[in-house]
Amino acid sequence: MEDLAFWAAAIPAAVLMGMGKGGVPVVAMLSVPLMSLVMSPVMAAGLLLPIYIVSDMFGLYAYRHASDKRVLAIMVPATTLGVALGWATAHLVPERIVGGIVGLVGAVFAANLLLRRPRVTEPQPAKVAPGLFWGAATGFTSFVSHAGAPPYQVYVMPLGLSKAVFAGTSTILFAYVNAIKLIPYWALGQISLGNLKVTLLMAIPASAAVFGGVWLVRRLPEALFFKLVTWALLLLSLKLVWGAFPLG
């Protein structure tokens, strides 16, 4: 029965992860909360990291020609700093408080996008100072619980990227972030060779789902795609806030 409950959570988590690597916005963030139903969040984050990396390889291939190099040049060093900060404070900062702060920022940003009047604006260039701040926040929250999407989107969504470049830049950046998380996760004992068989089995649906995600992104209208991104950001941000400050 325990094995049945585990796989009932693990297979959907792997599929969501793969679809996220295929460019479907934010759905990969659901994987850790879903796995947390059958194990501790820390164990879930460690178990899922190698599967993220396997599915990253397929996402990198799918979006190898679609990315914003300036955004990556700004955010790669910033996310590196954020991961290092997460490693240094791993035993000091409660995960739920970090998630709550990130969720609050993401919810306010998403609500503002949904409530304001639509207007036509020219795409904005990626600025360095905000990119360094939000990049560090992305790396930190990704290290804590693979929840780097809200701060990343707060920075990138106003830049006016096309949906393919938006998805490709996200895929490339988070592939890098996941790769550099391997060392601190291993050092903290969050990755176990004993889980290798489970990792390989979960990697099969995750890898297949990458191409399902790419297929879906290519067929979604641009306006609908970013509307879904915004609503997904709002709902997941509210979930992070709820997890940090539950009522009752």
Side-chain angles (χ1 to χ4, degrees):
M1 185 64 70
E2 288 183 1
D3 285 347
L4 182 61
F6 173 83
W7 287 110
I11 293 174
V15 170
L16 289 169
M17 188 187 313
M19 292 185 69
K21 296 305 175 183
V24 180
V26 187
V27 293
M29 266 186 68
L30 295 171
S31 297
V32 171
L34 190 57
M35 291 300 295
S36 297
L37 297 174
V38 293
M39 61 174 58
S40 77
V42 172
M43 288 179 61
L47 174 66
L48 291 173
L49 179 58
I51 306 162
Y52 269 103
I53 291 172
V54 171
S55 54
D56 280 335
M57 299 301 103
F58 294 91
L60 287 172
Y61 176 78
Y63 288 105
R64 62 194 182 280
H65 300 308
S67 66
D68 188 299
K69 293 180 174 56
R70 178 173 172 82
V71 171
L72 292 172
I74 293 170
M75 296 205 80
V76 162
T79 53
T80 304
L81 177 62
V83 169
L85 182 62
W87 186 4
T89 61
H91 300 298
L92 302 176
V93 182
E95 177 181 328
R96 65 183 184 87
I97 298 301
V98 175
I101 294 171
V102 170
L104 185 60
V105 172
V108 170
F109 176 76
N112 178 60
L113 289 178
L114 292 168
L115 295 175
R116 73 184 184 186
R117 290 183 177 180
R119 57 180 180 175
V120 177
T121 58
E122 290 296 320
Q124 300 298 310
K127 296 181 180 178
V128 174
L132 294 177
F133 174 80
W134 291 114
T138 297
F140 184 84
T141 53
S142 180
F143 178 86
V144 171
S145 60
H146 304 312
Y152 171 79
Q153 289 182 358
V154 168
Y155 176 63
V156 175
M157 283 183 65
L159 303 182
L161 305 180
S162 70
K163 64 177 181 178
V165 172
F166 179 93
T169 305
S170 305
T171 298
I172 293 168
L173 180 70
F174 283 104
Y176 168 77
V177 172
N178 289 331
I180 64 172
K181 288 191 298 190
L182 273 174
I183 295 175
Y185 268 49
W186 181 271
L188 292 169
Q190 289 181 240
I191 297 177
S192 169
L193 291 178
N195 292 328
L196 184 58
K197 181 179 178 180
V198 173
T199 298
L200 292 174
L201 289 173
M202 289 181 68
I204 296 171
S207 300
V210 173
F211 298 100
V214 172
W215 180 89
L216 187 60
V217 168
R218 287 177 177 169
R219 281 154 183 80
L220 283 175
E222 194 106 352
L224 177 59
F225 177 85
F226 285 106
K227 185 69 73 174
L228 290 174
V229 171
T230 306
W231 274 107
L233 174 61
L234 177 62
L235 294 174
L236 283 168
S237 295
L238 291 175
K239 181 188 180 303
L240 289 173
V241 173
W242 179 268
F245 312 106
L247 299 177

